[in-house]
PDB file of all heavy atoms in Angstrom:
ATOM      1  N   ASN A1134     -34.047  -1.184   3.131  1.00  0.00           N
ATOM      2  CA  ASN A1134     -34.999  -2.283   3.106  1.00  0.00           C
ATOM      3  C   ASN A1134     -34.614  -3.346   2.082  1.00  0.00           C
ATOM      4  O   ASN A1134     -35.220  -4.406   2.027  1.00  0.00           O
ATOM      5  CB  ASN A1134     -36.410  -1.759   2.781  1.00  0.00           C
ATOM      6  CG  ASN A1134     -36.983  -0.932   3.917  1.00  0.00           C
ATOM      7  OD1 ASN A1134     -36.662  -1.177   5.070  1.00  0.00           O
ATOM      8  ND2 ASN A1134     -37.820   0.044   3.587  1.00  0.00           N
ATOM      9  N   PHE A1135     -33.612  -3.058   1.222  1.00  0.00           N
ATOM     10  CA  PHE A1135     -33.179  -3.994   0.201  1.00  0.00           C
ATOM     11  C   PHE A1135     -31.710  -4.359   0.425  1.00  0.00           C
ATOM     12  O   PHE A1135     -30.911  -4.296  -0.498  1.00  0.00           O
ATOM     13  CB  PHE A1135     -33.378  -3.382  -1.195  1.00  0.00           C
ATOM     14  CG  PHE A1135     -34.814  -3.193  -1.572  1.00  0.00           C
ATOM     15  CD1 PHE A1135     -35.426  -1.969  -1.374  1.00  0.00           C
ATOM     16  CD2 PHE A1135     -35.545  -4.228  -2.099  1.00  0.00           C
ATOM     17  CE1 PHE A1135     -36.748  -1.790  -1.721  1.00  0.00           C
ATOM     18  CE2 PHE A1135     -36.874  -4.053  -2.450  1.00  0.00           C
ATOM     19  CZ  PHE A1135     -37.483  -2.828  -2.257  1.00  0.00           C
ATOM     20  N   THR A1136     -31.344  -4.688   1.635  1.00  0.00           N
ATOM     21  CA  THR A1136     -29.979  -5.081   1.936  1.00  0.00           C
ATOM     22  C   THR A1136     -29.671  -6.428   1.296  1.00  0.00           C
ATOM     23  O   THR A1136     -30.520  -7.300   1.184  1.00  0.00           O
ATOM     24  CB  THR A1136     -29.766  -5.165   3.453  1.00  0.00           C
ATOM     25  OG1 THR A1136     -30.750  -6.049   4.006  1.00  0.00           O
ATOM     26  CG2 THR A1136     -29.893  -3.803   4.095  1.00  0.00           C
ATOM     27  N   VAL A1137     -28.411  -6.578   0.887  1.00  0.00           N
ATOM     28  CA  VAL A1137     -27.984  -7.796   0.210  1.00  0.00           C
ATOM     29  C   VAL A1137     -27.906  -8.937   1.216  1.00  0.00           C
ATOM     30  O   VAL A1137     -27.317  -8.794   2.295  1.00  0.00           O
ATOM     31  CB  VAL A1137     -26.608  -7.568  -0.461  1.00  0.00           C
ATOM     32  CG1 VAL A1137     -26.058  -8.867  -1.014  1.00  0.00           C
ATOM     33  CG2 VAL A1137     -26.729  -6.533  -1.558  1.00  0.00           C
ATOM     34  N   THR A1138     -28.486 -10.067   0.874  1.00  0.00           N
ATOM     35  CA  THR A1138     -28.447 -11.259   1.734  1.00  0.00           C
ATOM     36  C   THR A1138     -27.521 -12.332   1.191  1.00  0.00           C
ATOM     37  O   THR A1138     -27.140 -13.247   1.923  1.00  0.00           O
ATOM     38  CB  THR A1138     -29.855 -11.845   1.909  1.00  0.00           C
ATOM     39  OG1 THR A1138     -30.385 -12.172   0.611  1.00  0.00           O
ATOM     40  CG2 THR A1138     -30.771 -10.840   2.598  1.00  0.00           C
ATOM     41  N   GLU A1139     -27.169 -12.235  -0.086  1.00  0.00           N
ATOM     42  CA  GLU A1139     -26.250 -13.193  -0.690  1.00  0.00           C
ATOM     43  C   GLU A1139     -25.558 -12.543  -1.877  1.00  0.00           C
ATOM     44  O   GLU A1139     -26.023 -11.531  -2.414  1.00  0.00           O
ATOM     45  CB  GLU A1139     -26.975 -14.461  -1.134  1.00  0.00           C
ATOM     46  CG  GLU A1139     -28.000 -14.235  -2.221  1.00  0.00           C
ATOM     47  CD  GLU A1139     -28.667 -15.521  -2.664  1.00  0.00           C
ATOM     48  OE1 GLU A1139     -28.534 -16.542  -1.965  1.00  0.00           O
ATOM     49  OE2 GLU A1139     -29.328 -15.508  -3.711  1.00  0.00           O
ATOM     50  N   PHE A1140     -24.415 -13.122  -2.254  1.00  0.00           N
ATOM     51  CA  PHE A1140     -23.669 -12.633  -3.407  1.00  0.00           C
ATOM     52  C   PHE A1140     -23.639 -13.712  -4.486  1.00  0.00           C
ATOM     53  O   PHE A1140     -23.655 -14.913  -4.189  1.00  0.00           O
ATOM     54  CB  PHE A1140     -22.234 -12.270  -3.017  1.00  0.00           C
ATOM     55  CG  PHE A1140     -22.137 -11.074  -2.116  1.00  0.00           C
ATOM     56  CD1 PHE A1140     -21.884 -11.219  -0.763  1.00  0.00           C
ATOM     57  CD2 PHE A1140     -22.292  -9.795  -2.620  1.00  0.00           C
ATOM     58  CE1 PHE A1140     -21.797 -10.117   0.071  1.00  0.00           C
ATOM     59  CE2 PHE A1140     -22.203  -8.685  -1.793  1.00  0.00           C
ATOM     60  CZ  PHE A1140     -21.958  -8.848  -0.446  1.00  0.00           C
ATOM     61  N   VAL A1141     -23.588 -13.259  -5.725  1.00  0.00           N
ATOM     62  CA  VAL A1141     -23.523 -14.158  -6.876  1.00  0.00           C
ATOM     63  C   VAL A1141     -22.139 -14.027  -7.506  1.00  0.00           C
ATOM     64  O   VAL A1141     -21.715 -12.925  -7.869  1.00  0.00           O
ATOM     65  CB  VAL A1141     -24.611 -13.821  -7.921  1.00  0.00           C
ATOM     66  CG1 VAL A1141     -24.515 -14.778  -9.103  1.00  0.00           C
ATOM     67  CG2 VAL A1141     -25.995 -13.876  -7.289  1.00  0.00           C
ATOM     68  N   PHE A1142     -21.430 -15.148  -7.640  1.00  0.00           N
ATOM     69  CA  PHE A1142     -20.086 -15.138  -8.221  1.00  0.00           C
ATOM     70  C   PHE A1142     -20.161 -15.239  -9.740  1.00  0.00           C
ATOM     71  O   PHE A1142     -20.909 -16.057 -10.284  1.00  0.00           O
ATOM     72  CB  PHE A1142     -19.265 -16.326  -7.693  1.00  0.00           C
ATOM     73  CG  PHE A1142     -18.879 -16.219  -6.258  1.00  0.00           C
ATOM     74  CD1 PHE A1142     -19.445 -17.055  -5.302  1.00  0.00           C
ATOM     75  CD2 PHE A1142     -17.947 -15.293  -5.840  1.00  0.00           C
ATOM     76  CE1 PHE A1142     -19.091 -16.970  -3.983  1.00  0.00           C
ATOM     77  CE2 PHE A1142     -17.573 -15.192  -4.516  1.00  0.00           C
ATOM     78  CZ  PHE A1142     -18.151 -16.033  -3.578  1.00  0.00           C
ATOM     79  N   LEU A1143     -19.363 -14.418 -10.416  1.00  0.00           N
ATOM     80  CA  LEU A1143     -19.191 -14.567 -11.855  1.00  0.00           C
ATOM     81  C   LEU A1143     -18.100 -15.574 -12.188  1.00  0.00           C
ATOM     82  O   LEU A1143     -18.107 -16.173 -13.260  1.00  0.00           O
ATOM     83  CB  LEU A1143     -18.864 -13.212 -12.499  1.00  0.00           C
ATOM     84  CG  LEU A1143     -19.992 -12.172 -12.514  1.00  0.00           C
ATOM     85  CD1 LEU A1143     -19.523 -10.920 -13.245  1.00  0.00           C
ATOM     86  CD2 LEU A1143     -21.246 -12.725 -13.163  1.00  0.00           C
ATOM     87  N   GLY A1144     -17.163 -15.758 -11.262  1.00  0.00           N
ATOM     88  CA  GLY A1144     -16.112 -16.752 -11.451  1.00  0.00           C
ATOM     89  C   GLY A1144     -15.078 -16.323 -12.468  1.00  0.00           C
ATOM     90  O   GLY A1144     -14.976 -15.162 -12.868  1.00  0.00           O
ATOM     91  N   LEU A1145     -14.299 -17.319 -12.911  1.00  0.00           N
ATOM     92  CA  LEU A1145     -13.221 -17.052 -13.866  1.00  0.00           C
ATOM     93  C   LEU A1145     -13.690 -17.132 -15.309  1.00  0.00           C
ATOM     94  O   LEU A1145     -13.060 -16.566 -16.198  1.00  0.00           O
ATOM     95  CB  LEU A1145     -12.079 -18.058 -13.640  1.00  0.00           C
ATOM     96  CG  LEU A1145     -11.366 -17.955 -12.292  1.00  0.00           C
ATOM     97  CD1 LEU A1145     -10.384 -19.109 -12.135  1.00  0.00           C
ATOM     98  CD2 LEU A1145     -10.645 -16.627 -12.148  1.00  0.00           C
ATOM     99  N   SER A1146     -14.781 -17.855 -15.567  1.00  0.00           N
ATOM    100  CA  SER A1146     -15.286 -17.983 -16.922  1.00  0.00           C
ATOM    101  C   SER A1146     -16.773 -18.305 -16.876  1.00  0.00           C
ATOM    102  O   SER A1146     -17.254 -18.955 -15.936  1.00  0.00           O
ATOM    103  CB  SER A1146     -14.524 -19.092 -17.673  1.00  0.00           C
ATOM    104  OG  SER A1146     -15.077 -19.297 -18.962  1.00  0.00           O
ATOM    105  N   SER A1147     -17.497 -17.858 -17.898  1.00  0.00           N
ATOM    106  CA  SER A1147     -18.930 -18.147 -18.008  1.00  0.00           C
ATOM    107  C   SER A1147     -19.218 -19.291 -18.972  1.00  0.00           C
ATOM    108  O   SER A1147     -20.359 -19.726 -19.090  1.00  0.00           O
ATOM    109  CB  SER A1147     -19.680 -16.888 -18.464  1.00  0.00           C
ATOM    110  OG  SER A1147     -19.178 -16.449 -19.728  1.00  0.00           O
ATOM    111  N   GLN A1148     -18.198 -19.785 -19.675  1.00  0.00           N
ATOM    112  CA  GLN A1148     -18.378 -20.880 -20.621  1.00  0.00           C
ATOM    113  C   GLN A1148     -18.313 -22.226 -19.902  1.00  0.00           C
ATOM    114  O   GLN A1148     -17.405 -22.462 -19.098  1.00  0.00           O
ATOM    115  CB  GLN A1148     -17.307 -20.825 -21.715  1.00  0.00           C
ATOM    116  CG  GLN A1148     -17.340 -19.544 -22.538  1.00  0.00           C
ATOM    117  CD  GLN A1148     -16.253 -19.499 -23.592  1.00  0.00           C
ATOM    118  OE1 GLN A1148     -15.486 -20.441 -23.735  1.00  0.00           O
ATOM    119  NE2 GLN A1148     -16.194 -18.398 -24.332  1.00  0.00           N
ATOM    120  N   ARG A1149     -19.287 -23.077 -20.198  1.00  0.00           N
ATOM    121  CA  ARG A1149     -19.400 -24.343 -19.481  1.00  0.00           C
ATOM    122  C   ARG A1149     -18.191 -25.243 -19.695  1.00  0.00           C
ATOM    123  O   ARG A1149     -17.674 -25.845 -18.743  1.00  0.00           O
ATOM    124  CB  ARG A1149     -20.686 -25.061 -19.937  1.00  0.00           C
ATOM    125  CG  ARG A1149     -21.018 -26.297 -19.118  1.00  0.00           C
ATOM    126  CD  ARG A1149     -21.260 -25.931 -17.676  1.00  0.00           C
ATOM    127  NE  ARG A1149     -21.526 -27.101 -16.854  1.00  0.00           N
ATOM    128  CZ  ARG A1149     -21.585 -27.084 -15.528  1.00  0.00           C
ATOM    129  NH1 ARG A1149     -21.369 -25.953 -14.870  1.00  0.00           N
ATOM    130  NH2 ARG A1149     -21.844 -28.175 -14.848  1.00  0.00           N
ATOM    131  N   LYS A1150     -17.713 -25.353 -20.931  1.00  0.00           N
ATOM    132  CA  LYS A1150     -16.564 -26.209 -21.202  1.00  0.00           C
ATOM    133  C   LYS A1150     -15.315 -25.702 -20.488  1.00  0.00           C
ATOM    134  O   LYS A1150     -14.534 -26.487 -19.931  1.00  0.00           O
ATOM    135  CB  LYS A1150     -16.321 -26.295 -22.705  1.00  0.00           C
ATOM    136  CG  LYS A1150     -17.407 -27.054 -23.456  1.00  0.00           C
ATOM    137  CD  LYS A1150     -17.063 -27.158 -24.939  1.00  0.00           C
ATOM    138  CE  LYS A1150     -18.140 -27.929 -25.696  1.00  0.00           C
ATOM    139  NZ  LYS A1150     -17.834 -28.043 -27.147  1.00  0.00           N
ATOM    140  N   MET A1151     -15.133 -24.382 -20.509  1.00  0.00           N
ATOM    141  CA  MET A1151     -13.980 -23.811 -19.832  1.00  0.00           C
ATOM    142  C   MET A1151     -14.066 -24.015 -18.327  1.00  0.00           C
ATOM    143  O   MET A1151     -13.050 -24.256 -17.658  1.00  0.00           O
ATOM    144  CB  MET A1151     -13.874 -22.316 -20.165  1.00  0.00           C
ATOM    145  CG  MET A1151     -12.683 -21.614 -19.516  1.00  0.00           C
ATOM    146  SD  MET A1151     -11.092 -22.342 -19.959  1.00  0.00           S
ATOM    147  CE  MET A1151     -10.998 -21.905 -21.701  1.00  0.00           C
ATOM    148  N   GLN A1152     -15.261 -23.942 -17.774  1.00  0.00           N
ATOM    149  CA  GLN A1152     -15.442 -24.182 -16.350  1.00  0.00           C
ATOM    150  C   GLN A1152     -15.045 -25.601 -15.966  1.00  0.00           C
ATOM    151  O   GLN A1152     -14.420 -25.815 -14.920  1.00  0.00           O
ATOM    152  CB  GLN A1152     -16.891 -23.919 -15.953  1.00  0.00           C
ATOM    153  CG  GLN A1152     -17.273 -22.446 -15.938  1.00  0.00           C
ATOM    154  CD  GLN A1152     -18.720 -22.234 -15.570  1.00  0.00           C
ATOM    155  OE1 GLN A1152     -19.497 -23.173 -15.446  1.00  0.00           O
ATOM    156  NE2 GLN A1152     -19.104 -20.975 -15.404  1.00  0.00           N
ATOM    157  N   LEU A1153     -15.382 -26.584 -16.793  1.00  0.00           N
ATOM    158  CA  LEU A1153     -15.002 -27.972 -16.512  1.00  0.00           C
ATOM    159  C   LEU A1153     -13.489 -28.153 -16.585  1.00  0.00           C
ATOM    160  O   LEU A1153     -12.897 -28.861 -15.766  1.00  0.00           O
ATOM    161  CB  LEU A1153     -15.701 -28.911 -17.491  1.00  0.00           C
ATOM    162  CG  LEU A1153     -17.229 -29.018 -17.352  1.00  0.00           C
ATOM    163  CD1 LEU A1153     -17.800 -29.895 -18.453  1.00  0.00           C
ATOM    164  CD2 LEU A1153     -17.606 -29.561 -15.976  1.00  0.00           C
TER     165      LEU A1153
END
Side-chain angles (χ1 to χ4, degrees):
N1134 291 330
F1135 293 96
T1136 55
V1137 173
T1138 58
E1139 64 178 14
F1140 292 104
V1141 180
F1142 290 110
L1143 291 183
L1145 295 173
S1146 176
S1147 59
Q1148 299 179 2
R1149 188 62 182 170
K1150 291 183 179 180
M1151 181 58 68
Q1152 288 179 353
L1153 293 176

